[in-house]
Amino acid sequence: MKYAHIVGWGHYLPERILTNDGMASIVDTSNEWIYTRTGIKERRIANQQETTAMMAFEAAARALAVANVHPMQVDMIIVATSTPAHMFPSTASQVQDYLGASRASAFDLSAACTGFVYALSMAANTIQAGAAQNVVVIGAETMSRVLDWQDRGTCILFGDGAGAVVLKGLSIPGGILASTLGSDGSGGDLLSLPVAYHSPLPFAAIEPSLNGHNRGTLSMNGRQVFRFATRVIVDSVQEVVAKAGLTMADVALIVPHQANVRIIETAAKRLKVPEEVFYLNVDRAGNTSAASIPIALCEAVEAGRLKPDDNVIFVGFGGGLTWGASLVKWDVTPPEVYIAERNWRDPRYVWARVKSRMRRFGRRLEGWLSGSPTPEARLRKTDKR
Ligand code: ACO
């Protein structure tokens, strides 16, 4: 029997901070309105270099350092994201290349803000089935690139960042004890992010209706999402606790999706637990969608909020509509390791980049020798058309 244990964790937040006062210079709002309605004081905004894949790589490299797992020992990489730079290649494949994790399979998972909980559950099932030993689960988002910066009802809520955990299969009981996942597609229009395809449609008449939504930007019915969130947090937490054969008294910490302090206050009341049981960092990071739970988890560990043998719940909700929770026995003590802040300069990742470039060069050479056009020549041909 294999158990999936969390043995490493890491996160990355962009350096640039956008405060509520800064937000008030972009849209008609105020620090007072944002803080009292959401609990958010500031959020991080990625620069051009801080792509979803780059932040996911940084978080994963830190998690692997804590776990003391070499990238070559990784069997699978799952990235939960709603903001990939490409539909394919997946963000996970890019991370696999940056890490030099050449034995790993890699794929992205789309479940909006619940993505991390979904990915964690998939990873745990794969380990428990004996199909993988070490899995890297990442939540990474550049929400700032998909916001309508004229819509004050949404752009004030979100931020950018990434968080990751390493799951390891061990025969010691513990780790992910239970999970529950759910979806209600009938509420898809309450929170949506239509894909921005750039190719012009050949027939204007078949342009699909977007119900007034802009392609490539997020839209939300805030009040309905608020009601949905408070209901599913309570239901998911109660369900996962029962599934694990525990009671709320056995739960030391809940790391929820960081959307809004008022949602958590309401959920805490309904669950009859003190608000302090919930770990919150939404004031500093805003809502980073699929990245919010692993980022908050890392901060909770750094703040000493988790002790060995504590039971911790991750609970998420978001677009789809989707929701889910995982109950985890926290059975590791943070190791005393040096975590390189500049992972790109770590020799193993420099070597991974060199190997990746050599492989690309090899493919070009092979193509050139066999007379097939280079990617540039193919682009020139498309441009001419
Ligand atoms: N600054 C100032 N005024 C604003 C702002 C703003 N940023 N945004 C809206 N308002 C105004 C509105 O125009 C409206 O004015 P009106 O009454 O004159 O028409 C008034 O404030 C009330 O607007 P509501 O949208 O009804 O405000 P509400 O109290 O519902 O708060 C909020 C909005 C904060 C978005 C809230 O609904 C909420 O938190 N919902 C949950 C959202 C959420 O958690 N989403 C993410 C979940 S899933 C995921 O993470 C993707």
Side-chain angles (χ1 to χ4, degrees):
M1 177 74 185
K2 279 271 175 76
Y3 298 86
H5 293 255
I6 294 180
V7 292
W9 50 89
H11 73 294
Y12 178 90
L13 285 169
E15 265 177 34
R16 185 163 55 189
I17 295 174
L18 179 59
T19 61
N20 288 347
D21 285 332
M23 191 62 87
S25 66
I26 301 171
V27 283
D28 180 16
T29 189
S30 64
N31 175 41
E32 204 263 333
W33 194 96
I34 300 174
Y35 185 65
T36 51
R37 300 278 175 130
T38 69
I40 298 168
K41 290 181 184 159
E42 59 187 40
R43 71 287 291 146
R44 302 295 179 106
I45 304 292
N47 65 30
Q48 281 305 311
Q49 282 75 41
E50 289 167 323
T51 61
T52 301
M54 177 270 180
M55 295 194 293
F57 156 75
E58 289 285 346
R62 287 168 201 189
L64 286 169
V66 171
N68 201 14
V69 168
H70 191 278
M72 285 296 282
Q73 295 173 293
V74 175
D75 301 303
M76 184 184 273
I77 299 168
I78 312 177
V79 177
T81 185
S82 301
T83 50
H86 316 268
M87 289 310 290
F88 58 85
S90 69
T91 307
S93 286
Q94 288 178 276
V95 173
Q96 177 269 316
D97 186 45
Y98 297 161
L99 290 172
S102 30
R103 287 185 52 249
S105 59
F107 65 96
D108 287 359
L109 185 150
S110 165
C113 308
T114 325
F116 180 77
V117 177
Y118 265 66
L120 196 70
S121 173
M122 296 302 111
N125 291 345
T126 309
I127 288 174
Q128 283 154 7
Q133 177 68 12
N134 294 304
V135 182
V136 179
V137 179
I138 308 166
E141 305 279 14
T142 40
M143 296 304 290
S144 58
R145 311 227 167 118
V146 297
L147 295 174
D148 176 351
W149 286 96
Q150 288 171 354
D151 176 11
R152 65 181 181 171
T154 55
C155 72
I156 53 134
L157 300 172
F158 295 92
D160 301 332
V165 296
V166 178
L167 280 187
K168 189 186 250 317
L170 298 170
S171 52
I172 310 157
I176 317 287
L177 299 183
S179 292
T180 173
L181 303 174
S183 171
D184 174 8
S186 71
D189 58 332
L190 298 182
L191 192 49
S192 79
L193 175 52
V195 174
Y197 295 111
H198 294 296
S199 182
L201 283 168
F203 309 105
I206 63 167
E207 173 75 27
S209 158
L210 286 168
N211 302 325
H213 297 169
N214 289 330
R215 284 183 187 283
T217 57
L218 178 147
S219 66
M220 180 179 73
N221 180 327
R223 290 209 166 181
Q224 294 257 30
V225 171
F226 192 97
R227 274 197 290 275
F228 150 74
T230 47
R231 181 172 52 78
V232 293
I233 290 185
V234 175
D235 293 350
S236 306
V237 166
Q238 287 173 337
E239 207 174 305
V240 83
V241 167
K243 252 185 160 178
L246 301 173
T247 66
M248 281 310 292
D250 300 314
V251 176
L253 191 71
I254 301 176
V255 182
H257 168 47
Q258 309 282 321
N260 184 321
V261 169
R262 288 191 302 137
I263 292 178
I264 302 306
E265 287 168 354
T266 313
K269 263 192 214 113
R270 291 192 191 162
L271 282 167
K272 298 192 179 58
V273 295
E275 276 166 37
E276 297 70 51
V277 170
F278 285 85
Y279 184 82
L280 290 175
N281 70 349
V282 68
D283 58 326
R284 307 183 294 282
N287 177 345
T288 54
S289 189
S292 87
I293 293 176
I295 293 172
L297 168 68
C298 292
E299 292 192 5
V301 178
E302 280 162 22
R305 291 286 303 272
L306 274 166
K307 295 185 300 302
D309 288 335
D310 274 353
N311 292 311
V312 54
I313 292 178
F314 304 133
V315 58
F317 55 87
L321 299 168
T322 54
W323 59 91
S326 284
L327 195 150
V328 182
K329 183 162 277 295
W330 190 260
D331 35 24
V332 280
T333 329
E336 299 282 326
V337 291
Y338 166 67
I339 301 171
E341 282 296 316
R342 299 298 302 267
N343 285 314
W344 286 113
R345 291 192 187 158
D346 185 317
R348 77 177 63 164
Y349 301 125
V350 173
W351 177 230
R353 285 210 308 275
V354 171
K355 277 203 297 190
S356 173
R357 284 193 189 149
M358 275 162 41
R359 254 183 251 122
R360 278 165 212 245
F361 178 74
R363 255 179 238 123
R364 287 171 75 102
L365 193 66
E366 201 180 72
W368 180 73
L369 289 173
S370 64
S372 52
T374 60
E376 289 78 13
R378 230 179 274 130
L379 272 180
R380 276 200 300 273
K381 213 169 149 191
T382 321
D383 280 353
K384 258 191 214 153
R385 259 196 250 137

